[in-house]
Every structure is written in C-alpha cells, then in structure tokens.
C-alpha cells in the first residue's frame, strides 16, 4: 500500500500486521506494507527499504551493516518483539539508526506460555494425545504416561529478566515450587524475595532442578548455553523448556539426550534455524514442540505491534522513541 504524497517520511512494514497498524502509521507517514507476508530476500528487503526513514520489523528481519550501507535514509527500526538478536546494534549505532524493541507488554503472556510448555512436557500432554489420536488407547494402566510432579518440585530458571521473574512467581506462589535461578547478575534482595527465588551457579541449577526453563536473551555469549555437557549434569527425571531463542540450546545434543532418556522431556518454542526444526527433534516422542508462539495472544500481539508503532511515531515525528535500545549511543555520537 503506497500513498501518493512524497512529502511525508516513508515507512516500510516488513511483515503482515493488524490493519490498524497500517492505519495509524498512515496518519503520519507514507506506508508500504507487506500484507501478503512475502518472504523477501535480503536484496528485496534492501530495495524496499531504500528511501524509507522507518522500518517496522519482526524478529525474522535481519538488520545488519551490509543492509544499512545501502539504506542511508533509514533512521529507526522498530522491532515488534522484546528480543532483538535480529539487530546488529553496533552496526545500527555506527550508521546512526535507532533500534527499538517491545518489552513489558508481553511479559505475563509469555510467562504463562513458558509455564504451560513446562507443564505439558512434564505431564506428557502431547505425547499422550498423539497416542490417543493414533487409536492406541485400549485400556487404563497404572503407569500410563506417568510424568513428573510440578507442585512442590524444584524450578530452575536460567535468565531472570522480567519473563523469568514472572515464571518464578507462578512456580513459587501458584505451585509451591522451590525456585532457583541463574543470571548474568544477581537480582536485588527485594526482587529475589518477591519471586521467592534463590541465586545459584548454573551447575548447581542444572544438578538440582526438576524443571529447567530458559529465558535468556540470545547473543554470542549465550550460544549453546545448554549443550551435551550441561544436559549430562541434569537429573534423568528432569525437563528442559526453551522459550528464549533458537541457538541457546544445541538442538542436536538435546535430541540425542531425549532419545537416550538422559533427561525425561523437553518443551521447545524456539529452534536453531527456525522455522526449520532439527529432524531428530521431530522423531523423538518426549518433546513438546510449538512454532514460536509464546507471546501469541491477540491482545499481547496487538500491544507489541502498537508499541512498535509508538516508537516509529515517537522518534520520526516527536524525536523520542518510547523503548529505544541504543539512544544513548546515538546521543554520544551526536547522530540522534
Ligand atoms: C519476542 O518478543 O522476542 C518473542 O520471541 C516474539 O517474537
């Protein structure tokens, strides 16, 4: 959709969005949108971004130095996601391009989903459903799909940001779990008390938790936070849930651990190389697989989209984004 005015800043919406996102942006900008949700090649994305001052992006749209070099008019990329590993923040800052993400609005919804995925893995929900749908349920049996306890067990959370804290509160207050966590930096005492969470080393967490949940942002430093060595530390009865990002877990090593019953089960919403999924994960029964939907309720997705819109309007019209990621760096450089 392209309006005829050439006076106003131009904005590209890189993926299909709620129609009122286009309507709100069109009040201020000439908007080109991708409502047919075409998977543009990097070259097509560059071509469409040329002459645009703003981009509405999602986590699958990579913004890097090569792209920025060819899009000199770009001033802001507003991610409709809290995660922003699709942004090369150094390159964006060097090019004087503001990056923004969409934090907070998805915290509780994503924590709900993390908890649901953990429970589904522990209680073997999808594995038993497949059995039922396949017509294999012939009679009751004392140990049929017996899983792991949630209530009263130990929950280990790696990555204790807002979503991790939401999961901790659900576990401690709703299910009487003992909560241990590991994070780059320890939380203050008030937050620890609020979450009823105890700080431990990563090794202690892996050795003691009955259910390990990963909510750590992706970076080179967090790549393969969980691989064969970490899986070997876990209890054979434990579960592993990843709602963070693909690449935090070594998916091949996890599939092998699930196949060999070195851990009991896993719940995965994110994958290395998604939307492709490691074939070995597809063939093991003791894993619950979902297609990156942890924040997917209509209310939350709308709030995320509207926050990205607020960032575009805030920066391009009023000079100040709501949730910027590199504003300080642009100010320091004098490129804000
Ligand atoms: C996020 O916001 O980072 C979620 O993964 C949704 O994409």
């Amino acid at each position: 959709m392209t309006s005829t005015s050439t006076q106003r800043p131009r904005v590209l919406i890189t993926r299909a969005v709620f129609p009122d996102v286009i309507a709100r942006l069109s009040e201020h900008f000439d908007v080109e949108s991708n409502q047919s949700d075409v998977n543009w090649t990097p070259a097509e994305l560059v071509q469409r971004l040329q002459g645009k001052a703003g981009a509405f992006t999602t986590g699958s749209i990579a913004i890097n130095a090569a792209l920025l070099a060819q899009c000199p008019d770009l001033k802001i990329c507003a991610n409709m996601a809290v995660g922003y590993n699709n942004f090369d923040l150094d390159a964006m800052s060097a090019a004087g391009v503001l990056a923004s993400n969409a934090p907070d609005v998805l915290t509780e919804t994503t924590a709900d989903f993390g908890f649901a995925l953990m429970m589904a893995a522990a209680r073997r929900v999808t594995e038993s459903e497949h059995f039922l749908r396949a017509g294999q349920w012939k009679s009751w049996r004392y140990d049929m799909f017996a899983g792991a306890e949630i209530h009263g067990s130990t929950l280990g959370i790696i990555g204790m940001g807002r979503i991790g804290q939401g999961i901790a509160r659900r576990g401690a207050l709703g299910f009487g779990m003992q909560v241990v966590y590991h994070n780059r930096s320890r939380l203050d005492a008030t937050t620890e008390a609020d979450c009823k969470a105890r700080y431990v080393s990563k090794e202690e967490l892996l050795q003691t938790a009955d259910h390990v949940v990963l909510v750590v942002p992706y970076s080179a430093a967090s790549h393969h936070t969980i691989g064969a060595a970490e899986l070997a530390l876990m209890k054979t009865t434990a579960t592993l849930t990843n709602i963070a990002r693909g690449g935090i877990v070594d998916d091949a090593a996890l599939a092998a651990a699930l196949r060999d019953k070195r851990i009991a089960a896993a719940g995965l919403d994110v994958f290395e190389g998604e939307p492709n999924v490691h074939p070995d994960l597809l063939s093991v029964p003791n894993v619950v697989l979902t297609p990156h939907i942890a924040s997917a309720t209509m209310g939350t997705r709308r709030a995320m989209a509207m926050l990205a819109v607020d960032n575009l309007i805030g920066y391009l019209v009023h000079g100040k984004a709501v949730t910027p990621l590199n504003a300080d760096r642009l100010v320091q450089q004098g490129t804000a």
Side-chain angles (χ1 to χ4, degrees), residues 20 39 42 56 58 69 111 119 122 136 140 144 147 151 168 181 200 219 221 223 225 258 262 283 305-306 315 336:
D20 46 347
N39 218 342
F56 180 113
T58 66
M119 291 190 74
Q136 291 174 294
W140 183 92
M144 191 166 68
H151 70 275
Y181 77 95
V200 294
S219 68
H223 183 74
T225 294
L258 290 165
R262 278 186 272 118
S283 64
M306 288 306 167
Y315 194 59

Side-chain angles (χ1 to χ4, degrees), residues 80-83 106 245 292 295 301 304:
M80 181 191 152
V82 65
L106 79 179
R245 275 291 181 271
H292 203 147
S295 64
R301 285 284 165 86
M304 293 163 72

Side-chain angles (χ1 to χ4, degrees), residues 298-317:
M298 287 304 261
T300 291
R301 285 284 165 86
R302 178 174 292 282
M304 293 163 72
M306 288 306 167
L307 185 48
V309 170
D310 290 342
N311 276 308
L312 285 162
I313 296 173
Y315 194 59
L316 292 176
V317 178

